[in-house]
Amino acid sequence: MNTLKISFAVLKKPTSYFFGGNSVISLKSLTPPSSVKPASISGGPRVYSTFAGTGVRTDFKVNSYSNMAEPDSDHKQGDVAVKDDRIAHISSTIRVIPDFPKPGIMFQDITTMLLDPVAFKDSIDLFVERYKDKDISVVAGVEARGFIFGPPIALAIGAKFVPMRKPNKLPGAVISEEYSLEYGTDIMEMHVGAVEVGERTLVIDDLIATGGTLVAAINLLERVGANVVECACVIELPDLKGRDRLGDKPLFVLFSRYTISFCW
Ligand SMILES: O=P(O)(O)OC[C@H]1O[C@H](OP(=O)(O)OP(=O)(O)O)[C@H](O)[C@@H]1O
Ligand SMILES: Nc1ncnc2[nH]cnc12
């Protein structure tokens, strides 16, 4: 296995859920491909905010981050292999805001993608191409950003859209799940009766980080007897290992982005 042992000092306090302070860690998933050199080598920080996950090389800058890691064998990326030129453009439109909403979080801001109609449409098309012939009757979207991607996908594949909402927003009878996030905890609710037993269901969100949100959505849907066939997101943050929390539930993402920053 191609493992790089690296001694690092924290530049931007990384997602503190992994580590904090100086330390020696094994960063096999951050090993840059030999053909790709860090953008700033001389003295300054080397930042690997990386773009992998689909086998698609995305050689462009997003904010100041321009380096990439290759997909590695730990990321089960065979099941997310989308090889499509549209993905590079989509990824380039999603900006990263460091330290939002809390120090250490590298916030992936999809609102900048929504300003680019080509990127936004391409993202929807990629999902529709994957799901149009899968006999899916329910697209469940997670508030808030799953409400952006879910409805156009549902309309295009002829499915109903079911909103998975924050607490106390739905007026009818609901079932609830509490869950943890990269930066807090929350509760998700769904209307009882929105999904019928056995319905083939797709769960949509913009991003998977720790996976807590998708796990809550799956739990809610399965509690009412839905058949959750897959979860789909635009972005995966693989260093947060959310995919692992989904167990055997398939996860499809357009691309992955590493969020750890470091220097040495
Ligand atoms: O994989 P996880 O660690 O669960 O995190 C992913 C979730 O976090 C974000 O939503 P957030 O809870 O910030 O809500 P918002 O869309 O209303 O801002 C994102 O849109 C996902 O729903
Ligand atoms: N880093 C991140 N960026 C955007 N949304 C998120 N939800 C959880 N972590 C996130």
Side-chain angles (χ1 to χ4, degrees):
M1 188 180 307
N2 207 2
T3 299
L4 173 67
K5 290 261 184 205
I6 215 165
S7 177
F8 75 98
V10 173
L11 168 65
K12 285 281 175 202
K13 184 167 160 263
T15 39
S16 50
Y17 307 90
F18 303 119
F19 45 77
N22 296 344
S23 156
V24 176
I25 59 165
S26 173
L27 282 177
K28 59 182 163 47
S29 59
L30 294 177
T31 305
S34 54
S35 57
V36 179
K37 302 289 179 228
S40 63
I41 297 231
S42 52
R46 303 183 191 195
V47 180
Y48 292 99
S49 180
T50 56
F51 314 93
T54 61
V56 174
R57 298 296 296 262
T58 52
D59 294 72
F60 45 78
K61 293 197 174 189
V62 174
N63 293 339
S64 58
Y65 312 114
S66 60
N67 300 298
M68 297 160 293
E70 300 282 40
D72 74 21
S73 56
D74 285 350
H75 282 116
K76 293 193 282 177
Q77 286 171 357
D79 47 347
V80 294
V82 171
K83 192 160 174 53
D84 195 295
D85 290 342
R86 292 171 287 183
I87 292 170
H89 178 62
I90 293 167
S91 178
S92 74
T93 64
I94 297 174
R95 71 177 165 182
V96 181
I97 307 282
D99 298 324
F100 181 87
K102 290 183 177 175
I105 303 293
M106 300 290 278
F107 191 83
Q108 312 295 312
D109 181 14
I110 54 107
T111 66
T112 45
M113 186 189 84
L114 306 178
L115 304 175
D116 183 325
V118 172
F120 186 23
K121 181 171 188 309
D122 282 350
S123 71
I124 300 300
D125 288 349
L126 283 159
F127 291 122
V128 170
E129 286 161 21
R130 181 172 177 85
Y131 296 112
K132 63 177 187 238
D133 297 320
K134 296 267 167 55
D135 199 23
I136 286 165
S137 63
V138 179
V139 174
V142 180
E143 186 172 356
R145 289 168 257 160
F147 291 6
I148 295 169
F149 298 96
I153 297 166
L155 288 174
I157 67 173
K160 60 187 174 188
F161 178 75
V162 174
M164 316 289 280
R165 294 217 62 178
K166 310 268 182 198
N168 307 313
K169 298 286 188 185
L170 292 169
V174 297
I175 56 170
S176 307
E177 280 273 328
E178 189 167 354
Y179 62 104
S180 59
L181 280 165
E182 193 185 0
Y183 38 76
T185 62
D186 216 334
I187 291 172
M188 186 185 300
E189 293 185 342
M190 181 180 75
H191 266 146
V192 173
V195 181
E196 283 163 34
V197 174
E199 283 199 280
R200 286 174 59 79
T201 302
L202 169 67
V203 182
I204 293 278
D205 206 349
D206 66 323
L207 176 142
I208 176 168
T210 66
T213 303
L214 288 181
V215 168
I218 293 165
N219 287 345
L220 276 180
L221 288 157
E222 291 188 341
R223 278 168 58 193
V224 299
N227 173 13
V228 178
V229 295
E230 191 155 288
C231 299
C233 297
V234 178
I235 313 165
E236 177 181 12
L237 305 183
D239 33 11
L240 287 167
K241 308 252 183 239
R243 181 179 287 272
D244 295 351
R245 288 179 67 182
L246 301 186
D248 291 336
K249 194 65 73 185
L251 171 68
F252 173 79
V253 297
L254 299 189
F255 66 92
S256 299
R257 188 173 275 181
Y258 289 84
T259 59
I260 298 171
S261 312
F262 61 92
C263 63
W264 66 88

PDB file of all heavy atoms in Angstrom, residues 105-108 145 182-183 207 209 237, ligand 2:
ATOM      1  N   ILE A 105     -13.773  23.864  10.208  1.00  0.00           N
ATOM      2  CA  ILE A 105     -14.624  23.285   9.169  1.00  0.00           C
ATOM      3  C   ILE A 105     -14.285  23.938   7.831  1.00  0.00           C
ATOM      4  O   ILE A 105     -14.234  25.164   7.713  1.00  0.00           O
ATOM      5  CB  ILE A 105     -16.121  23.517   9.479  1.00  0.00           C
ATOM      6  CG1 ILE A 105     -16.501  22.930  10.850  1.00  0.00           C
ATOM      7  CG2 ILE A 105     -16.981  22.952   8.359  1.00  0.00           C
ATOM      8  CD1 ILE A 105     -16.443  21.435  10.931  1.00  0.00           C
ATOM      9  N   MET A 106     -14.041  23.112   6.841  1.00  0.00           N
ATOM     10  CA  MET A 106     -13.843  23.604   5.469  1.00  0.00           C
ATOM     11  C   MET A 106     -15.195  23.492   4.770  1.00  0.00           C
ATOM     12  O   MET A 106     -15.552  22.426   4.243  1.00  0.00           O
ATOM     13  CB  MET A 106     -12.786  22.765   4.750  1.00  0.00           C
ATOM     14  CG  MET A 106     -11.431  22.774   5.419  1.00  0.00           C
ATOM     15  SD  MET A 106     -10.619  24.368   5.279  1.00  0.00           S
ATOM     16  CE  MET A 106      -9.918  24.229   3.655  1.00  0.00           C
ATOM     17  N   PHE A 107     -15.933  24.568   4.771  1.00  0.00           N
ATOM     18  CA  PHE A 107     -17.318  24.510   4.310  1.00  0.00           C
ATOM     19  C   PHE A 107     -17.392  24.486   2.784  1.00  0.00           C
ATOM     20  O   PHE A 107     -16.843  25.358   2.109  1.00  0.00           O
ATOM     21  CB  PHE A 107     -18.097  25.711   4.851  1.00  0.00           C
ATOM     22  CG  PHE A 107     -19.578  25.590   4.635  1.00  0.00           C
ATOM     23  CD1 PHE A 107     -20.355  24.865   5.532  1.00  0.00           C
ATOM     24  CD2 PHE A 107     -20.186  26.165   3.537  1.00  0.00           C
ATOM     25  CE1 PHE A 107     -21.723  24.732   5.331  1.00  0.00           C
ATOM     26  CE2 PHE A 107     -21.548  26.033   3.328  1.00  0.00           C
ATOM     27  CZ  PHE A 107     -22.325  25.319   4.226  1.00  0.00           C
ATOM     28  N   GLN A 108     -18.080  23.504   2.285  1.00  0.00           N
ATOM     29  CA  GLN A 108     -18.262  23.348   0.841  1.00  0.00           C
ATOM     30  C   GLN A 108     -19.538  24.085   0.454  1.00  0.00           C
ATOM     31  O   GLN A 108     -20.641  23.639   0.787  1.00  0.00           O
ATOM     32  CB  GLN A 108     -18.382  21.859   0.475  1.00  0.00           C
ATOM     33  CG  GLN A 108     -17.319  20.973   1.086  1.00  0.00           C
ATOM     34  CD  GLN A 108     -15.924  21.277   0.580  1.00  0.00           C
ATOM     35  OE1 GLN A 108     -15.717  21.396  -0.630  1.00  0.00           O
ATOM     36  NE2 GLN A 108     -14.967  21.407   1.489  1.00  0.00           N
ATOM     37  N   ARG A 145     -30.308  21.611   1.754  1.00  0.00           N
ATOM     38  CA  ARG A 145     -29.711  21.591   0.418  1.00  0.00           C
ATOM     39  C   ARG A 145     -30.169  20.415  -0.430  1.00  0.00           C
ATOM     40  O   ARG A 145     -30.069  20.458  -1.645  1.00  0.00           O
ATOM     41  CB  ARG A 145     -28.189  21.670   0.548  1.00  0.00           C
ATOM     42  CG  ARG A 145     -27.745  23.051   1.011  1.00  0.00           C
ATOM     43  CD  ARG A 145     -26.301  23.083   1.415  1.00  0.00           C
ATOM     44  NE  ARG A 145     -26.122  23.093   2.848  1.00  0.00           N
ATOM     45  CZ  ARG A 145     -24.997  22.742   3.451  1.00  0.00           C
ATOM     46  NH1 ARG A 145     -23.975  22.326   2.745  1.00  0.00           N
ATOM     47  NH2 ARG A 145     -24.914  22.794   4.781  1.00  0.00           N
ATOM     48  N   GLU A 182     -21.279  17.075  11.513  1.00  0.00           N
ATOM     49  CA  GLU A 182     -19.876  17.475  11.626  1.00  0.00           C
ATOM     50  C   GLU A 182     -19.758  18.629  12.620  1.00  0.00           C
ATOM     51  O   GLU A 182     -18.757  18.783  13.288  1.00  0.00           O
ATOM     52  CB  GLU A 182     -19.340  17.894  10.243  1.00  0.00           C
ATOM     53  CG  GLU A 182     -17.840  18.025  10.185  1.00  0.00           C
ATOM     54  CD  GLU A 182     -17.341  18.555   8.843  1.00  0.00           C
ATOM     55  OE1 GLU A 182     -18.153  18.816   7.944  1.00  0.00           O
ATOM     56  OE2 GLU A 182     -16.120  18.727   8.720  1.00  0.00           O
ATOM     57  N   TYR A 183     -20.796  19.444  12.714  1.00  0.00           N
ATOM     58  CA  TYR A 183     -20.713  20.599  13.613  1.00  0.00           C
ATOM     59  C   TYR A 183     -21.939  20.747  14.502  1.00  0.00           C
ATOM     60  O   TYR A 183     -22.454  21.821  14.688  1.00  0.00           O
ATOM     61  CB  TYR A 183     -20.468  21.895  12.824  1.00  0.00           C
ATOM     62  CG  TYR A 183     -21.198  21.982  11.491  1.00  0.00           C
ATOM     63  CD1 TYR A 183     -22.548  22.261  11.421  1.00  0.00           C
ATOM     64  CD2 TYR A 183     -20.489  21.793  10.310  1.00  0.00           C
ATOM     65  CE1 TYR A 183     -23.192  22.353  10.203  1.00  0.00           C
ATOM     66  CE2 TYR A 183     -21.122  21.886   9.080  1.00  0.00           C
ATOM     67  CZ  TYR A 183     -22.477  22.164   9.040  1.00  0.00           C
ATOM     68  OH  TYR A 183     -23.109  22.246   7.828  1.00  0.00           O
ATOM     69  N   LEU A 207     -24.317  16.819   0.175  1.00  0.00           N
ATOM     70  CA  LEU A 207     -22.983  16.460   0.679  1.00  0.00           C
ATOM     71  C   LEU A 207     -23.089  15.405   1.759  1.00  0.00           C
ATOM     72  O   LEU A 207     -24.014  15.427   2.572  1.00  0.00           O
ATOM     73  CB  LEU A 207     -22.361  17.743   1.248  1.00  0.00           C
ATOM     74  CG  LEU A 207     -21.013  17.688   1.936  1.00  0.00           C
ATOM     75  CD1 LEU A 207     -20.202  18.934   1.595  1.00  0.00           C
ATOM     76  CD2 LEU A 207     -21.188  17.588   3.446  1.00  0.00           C
ATOM     77  N   ALA A 209     -20.779  14.139   4.901  1.00  0.00           N
ATOM     78  CA  ALA A 209     -19.577  14.381   5.715  1.00  0.00           C
ATOM     79  C   ALA A 209     -19.437  13.197   6.665  1.00  0.00           C
ATOM     80  O   ALA A 209     -18.871  12.167   6.305  1.00  0.00           O
ATOM     81  CB  ALA A 209     -19.697  15.717   6.443  1.00  0.00           C
ATOM     82  N   LEU A 237     -17.055  14.005   1.531  1.00  0.00           N
ATOM     83  CA  LEU A 237     -15.829  14.371   2.247  1.00  0.00           C
ATOM     84  C   LEU A 237     -15.262  13.078   2.825  1.00  0.00           C
ATOM     85  O   LEU A 237     -15.632  12.666   3.924  1.00  0.00           O
ATOM     86  CB  LEU A 237     -16.131  15.377   3.366  1.00  0.00           C
ATOM     87  CG  LEU A 237     -16.859  16.662   2.937  1.00  0.00           C
ATOM     88  CD1 LEU A 237     -17.030  17.601   4.130  1.00  0.00           C
ATOM     89  CD2 LEU A 237     -16.144  17.363   1.801  1.00  0.00           C
TER      90      LEU A 237
HETATM   91  N1  LIG B   2     -17.694  20.765   5.450  1.00  0.00           N
HETATM   92  C1  LIG B   2     -18.979  20.903   5.133  1.00  0.00           C
HETATM   93  N2  LIG B   2     -19.359  21.744   4.147  1.00  0.00           N
HETATM   94  C2  LIG B   2     -20.670  21.894   3.833  1.00  0.00           C
HETATM   95  N3  LIG B   2     -21.645  21.243   4.449  1.00  0.00           N
HETATM   96  C3  LIG B   2     -21.309  20.406   5.428  1.00  0.00           C
HETATM   97  N4  LIG B   2     -22.054  19.605   6.218  1.00  0.00           N
HETATM   98  C4  LIG B   2     -21.231  18.971   7.055  1.00  0.00           C
HETATM   99  N5  LIG B   2     -19.958  19.302   6.848  1.00  0.00           N
HETATM  100  C5  LIG B   2     -19.987  20.198   5.821  1.00  0.00           C
END
